[in-house]
């Protein structure tokens, strides 16, 4: 009798650190471009943009994607202008210190900007962008502005490649702002609507094989057939799997998704392919910061209405707090190798159980199956 595979529950990924230089404390102390923060909200400092004006100064910070921060200090009342994907907002600022500007960005709602990001990315990738509702709190601070979170299922035997991708992003000059991420063992549910999916996805054994082959982790329970009040039937799969949870800036979200897609972790949209990373149930979700901890019972349908993806919760705040110290690459890699071995055993055991079940149904010993 073999023991069930064990999967490490929580894995810290290498952080992408981007130190920022803030030479002076107050806005009034700025006398030249050399006194300005090297980054501000949506861009990097453009030194030649610095100009002295009556009672103060003005300067700009640009991003290669076309985003812009323009700041004008004029004594007691300054102005902050932000432009994201061509959409501009201007806010008056009463702050006297650079560090106080974080409160200003929290008063600028990024909902429209997230919608623009969705318009650009959802047609390209197996990705769902959750809207930022008007009454939700805004996450963001000085110097890099609005925060967003990205979550996605990851196969247990692809965790080392994800670790290596984060390592490579540490030296990626195009990644301009910090990114921190971890992987947690999570649970979610997929409802496969009967009659709208491949016949394999309307059978318990087929659903389990589909999941295990894709993610290398066991189903939490055997799938069951359920009907809603309207009589629509679906096969419900409760699944356990690794979930990537990353925190980055709105400015950086497009580049992070491009890197993940380039490394094969996010599939292209509209391919018609099943399995990871193309099936809707293996897609990524971009969330306003904090949704991954606060949102309970989050769900969405795929574009054809063939399946519903349901997460009781994306992440637990206690997980992030428990990651406070860096365990070191050697220890993390050892845990990742354990996850890979557990995935190999899970796939082997599932295939064997499936073969034995088929053999039993045919009235033959499993050894007679070829």
């Amino acid at each position: 009798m073999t023991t069930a595979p064990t999967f490490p529950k929580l894995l810290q990924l290498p952080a992408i650190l981007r130190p920022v230089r803030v030479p002076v404390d107050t806005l009034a102390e700025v006398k030249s471009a050399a006194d300005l923060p090297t980054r501000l909200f949506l861009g990097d400092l453009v030194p030649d943009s610095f100009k002295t004006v009556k009672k103060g100064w003005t300067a700009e910070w640009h991003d290669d994607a076309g985003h812009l921060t323009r700041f004008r200090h004029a004594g007691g009342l300054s102005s902050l202008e932000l432009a994201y994907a061509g959409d501009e907002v201007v806010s008056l600022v009463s702050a006297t210190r650079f560090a106080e500007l974080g409160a200003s960005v929290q008063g600028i709602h990024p909902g429209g900007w997230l919608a623009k990001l969705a318009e650009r990315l959802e047609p390209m990738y197996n990705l769902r962008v959750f809207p930022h509702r008007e009454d939700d709190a805004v996450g963001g601070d000085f110097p890099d502005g609005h925060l967003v979170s990205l979550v996605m299922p990851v196969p247990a035997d692809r965790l080392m490649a994800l670790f290596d991708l984060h390592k490579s992003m540490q030296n990626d000059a195009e990644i301009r702002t910090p990114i921190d991420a971890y992987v947690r063992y999570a649970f979610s549910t997929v409802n496969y609507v009967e009659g709208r999916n491949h016949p394999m996805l309307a059978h318990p054994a087929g659903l389990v094989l589909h999941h295990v082959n894709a993610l290398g982790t066991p189903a939490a329970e055997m799938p069951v057939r359920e009907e809603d009040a309207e009589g629509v039937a679906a096969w419900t799969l409760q699944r356990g799997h690794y979930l990537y949870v990353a925190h980055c800036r709105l400015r950086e979200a497009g580049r992070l998704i491009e890197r993940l897609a380039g490394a094969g972790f996010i599939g292209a949209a509209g391919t018609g392919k099943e399995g990871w990373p193309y099936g809707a149930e293996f897609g990524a979700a971009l969330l306003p910061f904090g949704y991954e901890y606060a949102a309970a019972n989050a769900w969405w349908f795929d574009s054809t209405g063939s399946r519903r993806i349901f997460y009781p919760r994306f992440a637990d705040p206690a997980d992030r707090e428990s990651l406070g110290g860096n365990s070191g690459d050697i220890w993390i890699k050892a845990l990742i190798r354990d996850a890979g071995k557990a995935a190999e055993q899970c796939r082997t055991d599932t295939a064997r159980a499936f073969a034995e079940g088929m053999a039993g149904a045919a009235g033959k010993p499993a050894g007679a199956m070829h």
Side-chain angles (χ1 to χ4, degrees), residues 294-310:
N297 302 328
W299 59 270
W300 65 95
F301 275 96
D302 69 337
S303 59
T304 63
S306 69
R307 61 199 71 175
R308 186 184 80 137
I309 299 90
F310 174 88

Side-chain angles (χ1 to χ4, degrees), residues 116-135:
K116 282 186 168 290
L117 197 61
E119 288 174 13
R120 180 170 74 87
L121 296 180
E122 286 187 345
M124 298 169 61
Y125 301 115
N126 185 15
L127 170 76
R128 181 64 173 255
V129 179
F130 276 61
H132 200 313
R133 298 170 300 193
E134 284 297 326
D135 56 347

Side-chain angles (χ1 to χ4, degrees), residues 10 17 33 50 97 120 136 201 218 237 253 263-264 276 288 343 359:
L10 205 57
L17 305 176
F50 177 84
R97 301 172 60 239
R120 180 170 74 87
D136 288 336
L201 302 179
L237 172 70
W276 182 84

Side-chain angles (χ1 to χ4, degrees), residues 103-223:
S104 299
V105 82
Q106 289 172 8
I108 297 172
H109 200 280
W113 296 345
L114 264 179
K116 282 186 168 290
L117 197 61
E119 288 174 13
R120 180 170 74 87
L121 296 180
E122 286 187 345
M124 298 169 61
Y125 301 115
N126 185 15
L127 170 76
R128 181 64 173 255
V129 179
F130 276 61
H132 200 313
R133 298 170 300 193
E134 284 297 326
D135 56 347
D136 288 336
V138 175
D141 54 19
F142 171 83
D144 291 314
H146 296 100
L147 279 156
V148 290
S149 302
L150 182 76
V151 297
M152 65 179 189
V154 180
D157 52 3
R158 290 282 292 163
L159 294 175
M160 193 66 81
L162 186 60
F163 181 96
D164 291 341
L165 175 63
H166 264 256
K167 274 288 187 185
S168 71
M169 286 194 291
Q170 289 180 333
N171 300 312
D172 186 337
E174 293 182 7
I175 301 294
R176 306 300 300 171
T177 55
I179 299 171
D180 72 86
Y182 61 94
V183 177
R184 67 187 296 262
Y185 197 87
F187 294 91
S188 61
T189 302
V190 186
N191 304 114
Y192 295 88
V193 180
E194 200 169 64
R196 299 184 189 174
N197 290 287
H198 189 281
M200 183 186 78
L201 302 179
H203 187 282
L207 284 169
V208 170
L209 281 173
H210 175 69
H211 165 71
V212 173
N213 286 338
L215 298 179
T217 45
E221 297 176 8
M222 280 301 291

Side-chain angles (χ1 to χ4, degrees), residues 1 43 61 169 190 213 228 258 293 328 345 363:
M1 181 177 176
W61 290 255
M169 286 194 291
V190 186
N213 286 338
D228 65 13
E258 287 166 6
Y293 302 116
Q345 185 182 341

Side-chain angles (χ1 to χ4, degrees), residues 184 186-188 243 290-298 310-317:
R184 67 187 296 262
F187 294 91
S188 61
L243 189 72
Y291 271 40
E292 71 277 24
Y293 302 116
N297 302 328
F310 174 88
Y311 283 85
R313 194 171 296 279
F314 292 110
D316 184 339

